Amino acid sequence: MNADAIRVDRQRAVAVLTLNRPDAKNSLRLSDISTLSAVLDGIPGSGARALLLRGEGGSFCAGRDLKETDPETDDTLAILHDVINPVFLKLRDLPIPTVAAVRGPALGLGLGLALACDVTYVAEDAVLGSPFRNIGAILDSGGHYFLADRIGPHRAMELIVSGRLISGREAAAMGIVNRAFGALDLDQAAGEFARSAAAGPTLAFGFSKAILRAPRTLEDVLELEARYQAEALRSNDARAGIRAFQEKRKPVFTGT
């Protein structure tokens, strides 16, 4: 495992996961992706109540490191099924709020990592997109799902076919990401959001994550809301929150 390429630090209740290959714009080798997968496996039992995903230096992630790729010999199907794809499912399914802080390139696999987080904050001059047309390949890493879900299939297809890279400012205006910030403000904004999320009722946040990724007919959502609300109101957080509301003070949540 290339532990140095993936770094995890704790800032109080926030797990800060850093992609740490700045000399390669944080592009990831397959061994790095395996390390990232193992790190994500350990997050739920670590006591972290939010996750902040970032890149070291001036880049988020320029994608997979193509220096190790050989289309003639690679078992691409196995690589995607067994190594790459599970990372996006694990990141999406973490039971705690996740936020990406994106500066510089977020391309291909990097774009997928950024958009698999619950909230994506970007620098205004960040660069996002799908350059796969330039190598005769297709967007992977969940990109078709994330783009179609956020901007519709027609605009997703335009970005895929054109290969056009867009700035963080444009990505925010289109609704691909949540918000764009000046470069000096990005880390502060993402950190503040992660800390605020970690201090909140993270059990309830996990229920909302499950509802948002479920089938979205009104009937389905109403049923899930009823089921999870009944569970949420039996939690320690709900008891603490209601008691604090009645006593006109700020609640202290524990995520239980």
Side-chain angles (χ1 to χ4, degrees):
M1 288 170 123
N2 286 294
D4 290 343
I6 307 295
R7 191 175 75 240
V8 184
D9 305 294
R10 281 290 291 273
Q11 296 180 0
R12 297 182 182 178
V14 178
V16 181
L17 200 166
T18 301
L19 309 178
N20 189 32
R21 296 189 72 213
D23 56 329
K25 297 184 178 179
N26 297 320
S27 61
L28 300 180
R29 300 158 294 194
L30 289 180
S31 57
D32 304 325
I33 298 168
S34 294
T35 300
L36 176 59
S37 185
V39 167
L40 291 173
D41 284 337
I43 294 294
S46 70
R49 288 164 52 79
L51 174 75
L52 173 61
L53 178 62
R54 60 180 297 277
E56 187 63 44
S59 302
F60 180 72
C61 177
R64 184 182 167 194
D65 191 338
L66 294 182
K67 292 179 181 178
E68 66 175 10
T69 302
D70 184 350
E72 298 295 327
T73 60
D74 285 351
D75 186 344
T76 300
L77 186 61
I79 289 170
L80 285 168
H81 273 173
D82 301 335
V83 182
I84 295 177
N85 289 355
V87 169
F88 301 98
L89 297 175
K90 290 177 183 181
L91 183 55
R92 184 201 64 176
D93 291 343
L94 283 178
I96 57 176
T98 58
V99 56
V102 177
R103 63 177 72 250
L107 307 176
L109 183 144
L111 178 65
L113 289 174
L115 300 185
C117 290
D118 299 319
V119 172
T120 307
Y121 284 174
V122 301
E124 291 177 340
D125 60 355
V127 179
L128 299 89
S130 167
F132 285 93
R133 64 155 289 160
N134 298 328
I135 59 171
I138 71 164
L139 174 63
D140 55 26
S141 303
H144 288 83
Y145 173 84
F146 294 124
L147 290 178
D149 187 55
R150 297 178 187 207
I151 60 175
H154 59 304
R155 285 188 287 182
M157 194 63 179
E158 180 186 23
L159 290 177
I160 290 168
V161 171
S162 69
R164 185 169 67 89
L165 303 182
I166 61 175
S167 69
R169 184 184 301 107
E170 184 177 0
M174 294 176 68
I176 296 174
V177 301
N178 292 81
R179 296 179 64 185
F181 298 86
L184 296 178
D185 298 324
L186 173 64
D187 289 338
Q188 179 180 350
E192 286 179 353
F193 182 89
R195 289 189 293 273
S196 174
T202 50
L203 181 68
F205 294 158
F207 293 155
S208 288
K209 288 184 64 164
I211 293 169
L212 288 171
R213 68 173 180 257
R216 295 181 189 175
T217 66
L218 178 58
E219 291 82 1
D220 289 336
V221 170
L222 287 170
E223 176 60 30
L224 287 171
E225 287 175 344
R227 185 194 313 167
Y228 283 122
Q229 187 71 294
E231 189 169 347
L233 288 175
R234 291 194 296 268
S235 70
N236 292 326
D237 277 350
R239 285 192 287 270
I242 292 171
R243 190 177 304 115
F245 176 82
Q246 294 169 339
E247 297 172 0
K248 298 181 180 180
R249 58 176 174 80
K250 186 176 180 179
V252 176
F253 295 117
T254 62
T256 62

